[in-house]
Each structure stands twice: as C-alpha cells, then as structure tokens.
Amino acid sequence: MGIDDKITMPMILSSDYHQPVLLSRVTQALNILPDRKYIDATLGGGGYTIEIIKRGGRVLGIDLDQESLEYFKNNILDKLNAEEKRKVKI
C-alpha cells in the first residue's frame, strides 16, 4: 500500500494546520522529479511534503513550530510505507 491508499489530503488538512492553497501551483513550479531533493521549510500539516513524496521527490521537512513537527511525526509519518518514509527527513 502506498500513501494514496492510506491517507488523503482532506483528512490531513482537517487539522488546525495551514491548508496549502497553492498546492498545484507550487508543485508545478517545483517541477518535481523522482529522487530529486526538496526542502519544505514550513512543514505544518505536511501538505506540500506529501505531494512531493507522492511525485517521487525526497523532502527535508523543517518548521520553527515544534507542534507542527510533532504533528507530522505522530499523525502523518506513521501512515507512510517504508519507501515513502525513506524519502522524508524531519
């Protein structure tokens, strides 16, 4: 099972975290390529990070808000399969 089978964006974004309203524009501008490295400097609820992973990219997720990091670790990271987990560093 992959990320598409386990979680969906609406479930992730139903939290108190920022909804990535520019998701399609950002991912288009990034021109995400498999195994290319990206930095999500506002990890929040993980919306951008998850989309980058779904498209095959690798992500370093950082955030000044410790609660955002804990939210991602406790609510999102565990739902990723082993291959997807290898593509993200928090």
Side-chain angles (χ1 to χ4, degrees), residues 4-39:
D4 291 326
D5 300 319
K6 296 181 182 181
I7 56 178
T8 61
M9 293 303 291
M11 186 271 312
I12 294 167
L13 300 175
S14 64
S15 72
D16 294 332
Y17 290 96
H18 171 73
Q19 181 174 350
V21 295
L22 297 174
L23 186 61
S24 64
R25 287 187 181 187
V26 169
T27 53
Q28 181 181 12
L30 287 173
N31 189 27
I32 300 164
L33 300 172
D35 293 320
R36 195 166 182 186
K37 296 177 182 177
Y38 301 87
I39 298 174

Side-chain angles (χ1 to χ4, degrees), residues 32-75:
I32 300 164
L33 300 172
D35 293 320
R36 195 166 182 186
K37 296 177 182 177
Y38 301 87
I39 298 174
D40 183 349
T42 55
L43 183 63
Y48 293 109
T49 291
I50 289 170
E51 189 62 28
I52 292 168
I53 291 170
K54 284 172 42 178
R55 294 171 183 243
R58 297 180 175 275
V59 180
L60 171 62
I62 59 177
D63 203 304
L64 284 176
D65 182 359
Q66 189 63 36
E67 286 184 23
S68 293
L69 297 172
E70 292 302 317
Y71 174 83
F72 189 88
K73 289 176 187 176
N74 295 328
N75 296 287

Side-chain angles (χ1 to χ4, degrees), residues 65-89:
D65 182 359
Q66 189 63 36
E67 286 184 23
S68 293
L69 297 172
E70 292 302 317
Y71 174 83
F72 189 88
K73 289 176 187 176
N74 295 328
N75 296 287
I76 307 300
L77 196 59
D78 289 342
K79 294 179 175 85
L80 303 178
N81 66 37
E83 181 182 340
E84 293 161 341
K85 284 181 182 179
R86 283 191 298 271
K87 292 183 177 185
V88 63
K89 300 283 186 212

